[in-house]
């Protein structure tokens, strides 16, 4: 005897989204970065581009009313949604039960701030797929990459300008701190654009998709915190060369120059010209300089 065939989730359209919002007396706010996707084709595109399979345990950030969540449940083994808004977090299970009754057991919502969460319940997540709140997209992405080493890949929707920064290469005008820090964890690429008309309310910025694949961080004697401190200092004043930019971090311009020379990098180079491996060597050079100066 065979069981009842599993039915795929039914996705939300514009009418369903507005009905759900009205039932909650919800007025989306810019402060919370609430722009809900109202187009089924868009969430299908995001899931397809993410490359997730039935083996994946997916973390979603900011599920909102459940548009992307339902599309993820059509494919993933399990979806854990992190929602900061209590109203939305409490309403989401009923939406999943109504639109994806056969996937209820594969879903869990966690009422939490993704920037401050310290653990994810259940089996280790393997993928991050999310329409990230645009006002905190980079900090959230970097926090979860650091917190969850089990994440193998992901796809996030962010402001187009931020997507460009995350995927930028050295020498680009938009290459900066997000580009370098993301490269510590993963190979990052631009994965498409999303129009404004697929959101409610429509944002006043364009959106972009960023895909990433985890790779081992650079082999180094320096800590991630030491390397990231160098990155922050190098880009604090984009037009400055590394020697003056790293002066405060190193303790003096001379110490900064010695560390750069030890790393094999011209002290007059700018941060925007360096790769993550270069910043690693600088951090090691600074550490070695401090060691030689210690009594």
């Amino acid at each position: 005897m065979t069981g009842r065939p599993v039915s795929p989730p039914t996705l939300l359209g514009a009418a369903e989204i507005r009905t759900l919002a009205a039932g909650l007396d919800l007025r989306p706010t810019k402060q919370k970065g609430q722009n809900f996707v109202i187009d089924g084709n868009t969430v299908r595109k995001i899931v397809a581009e993410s490359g997730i399979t039935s083996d994946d345990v997916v973390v979603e950030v900011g599920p909102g009313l459940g548009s992307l969540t339902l599309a993820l449940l059509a494919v993933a083994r399990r979806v854990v949604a992190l929602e900061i808004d209590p109203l939305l977090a409490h309403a989401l299970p009923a939406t999943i039960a109504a639109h994806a009754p056969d996937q209820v057991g594969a879903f869990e919502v966690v009422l939490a701030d993704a920037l401050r969460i310290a653990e994810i319940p259940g089996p280790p997540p393997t993928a991050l797929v999310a329409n990230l709140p645009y006002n905190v997209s980079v900090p959230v992405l970097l926090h979860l990459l650091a917190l969850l080493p089990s994440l193998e890949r992901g796809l996030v929707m962010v402001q187009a300008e931020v997507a460009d920064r995350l995927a930028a290469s050295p020498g680009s005008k938009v290459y900066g701190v997000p580009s370098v820090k993301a490269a510590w964890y993963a190979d990052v690429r631009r994965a498409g654009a999303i129009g404004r008309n697929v959101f409610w309310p429509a944002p006043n910025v364009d959106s972009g998709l960023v895909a990433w694949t985890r790779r081992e961080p650079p082999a180094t004697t320096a800590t991630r915190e030491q390397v990231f401190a160098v990155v922050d200092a190098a880009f604090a004043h984009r037009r400055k060369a590394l020697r003056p930019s790293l002066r405060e971090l190193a303790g003096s311009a001379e110490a900064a120059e010695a560390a750069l020379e030890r790393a094999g990098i011209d002290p007059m180079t700018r941060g925007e010209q360096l790769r993550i491996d270069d910043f690693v060597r600088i951090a090691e050079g600074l550490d070695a300089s401090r060691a030689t100066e210690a009594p």
Side-chain angles (χ1 to χ4, degrees):
M1 183 176 176
T2 59
R4 180 175 61 87
V6 175
S7 299
T10 57
L11 302 184
L12 302 176
E16 290 92 345
I17 289 288
R18 288 190 172 90
T19 298
L20 286 169
L24 297 172
D25 195 24
L26 173 68
R27 294 171 179 81
T29 68
K30 184 176 179 181
Q31 181 185 5
K32 292 181 179 178
Q34 291 174 330
N35 298 95
F36 303 120
V37 179
I38 56 175
D39 177 61
N41 288 331
T42 298
V43 291
R44 287 190 195 95
K45 174 183 177 180
I46 292 170
V47 172
E49 284 285 348
S50 73
I52 63 167
T53 71
S54 57
D55 293 327
D56 279 306
V57 176
V58 179
V59 174
E60 183 189 8
V61 177
L65 292 166
S67 303
L68 178 58
T69 315
L70 289 165
L72 290 168
L73 284 168
V75 179
R77 173 162 68 97
R78 172 175 159 85
V79 175
V80 180
L82 310 181
E83 177 55 64
I84 193 172
D85 188 319
L87 181 69
L88 292 172
H90 292 142
L92 196 53
T95 301
I96 302 305
H99 291 265
D102 291 341
Q103 287 78 26
V104 166
F107 170 74
E108 183 171 355
V109 61
V110 178
L111 177 61
D113 182 346
L115 264 177
R116 291 173 174 79
I117 197 163
E119 61 180 355
I120 302 294
T126 57
L128 168 66
V129 185
N131 172 18
L132 292 178
Y134 287 4
N135 51 345
V136 290
S137 56
V138 171
V140 166
L141 176 61
L142 294 175
H143 173 63
L144 293 177
L145 283 169
L147 177 69
L148 303 169
S150 60
L151 290 175
E152 299 167 3
R153 62 194 170 282
L155 184 88
V156 293
M157 179 158 50
V158 296
Q159 187 175 335
E161 186 180 309
V162 174
D164 290 339
R165 286 188 194 136
L166 283 166
S169 299
S172 163
K173 288 182 179 179
V174 295
Y175 183 73
V177 172
S179 328
V180 183
K181 290 185 178 179
W184 171 274
Y185 301 101
D187 293 317
V188 183
R189 64 178 175 85
R190 209 44 162 87
I194 301 292
R196 301 182 187 192
N197 62 341
V198 304
F199 295 96
W200 174 74
N204 56 7
V205 295
D206 293 320
S207 304
L209 299 177
V210 174
W212 55 268
T213 305
R214 172 82 74 170
R215 61 176 174 79
E216 286 298 312
T220 175
T221 55
T223 65
R224 182 181 70 227
E225 290 75 16
Q226 287 173 323
V227 176
F228 282 11
V230 173
V231 174
D232 289 333
F235 286 99
H237 305 283
R238 283 189 71 94
R239 298 187 181 281
K240 278 190 178 181
L242 287 169
R243 185 181 189 272
S245 293
L246 299 179
R247 179 177 57 195
E248 186 175 340
L249 184 63
S252 69
E254 292 74 22
E257 184 165 351
L260 288 162
E261 289 176 348
R262 187 177 272 112
I265 292 169
D266 183 343
M268 299 314 293
T269 302
R270 292 179 182 175
E272 62 203 51
Q273 297 169 277
L274 304 184
R275 298 183 177 277
I276 182 63
D277 292 336
D278 299 318
F279 288 104
V280 165
R281 293 203 313 278
I282 295 170
E284 291 172 345
L286 286 171
D287 204 32
S289 295
R290 295 187 190 103
T292 57
E293 290 172 6

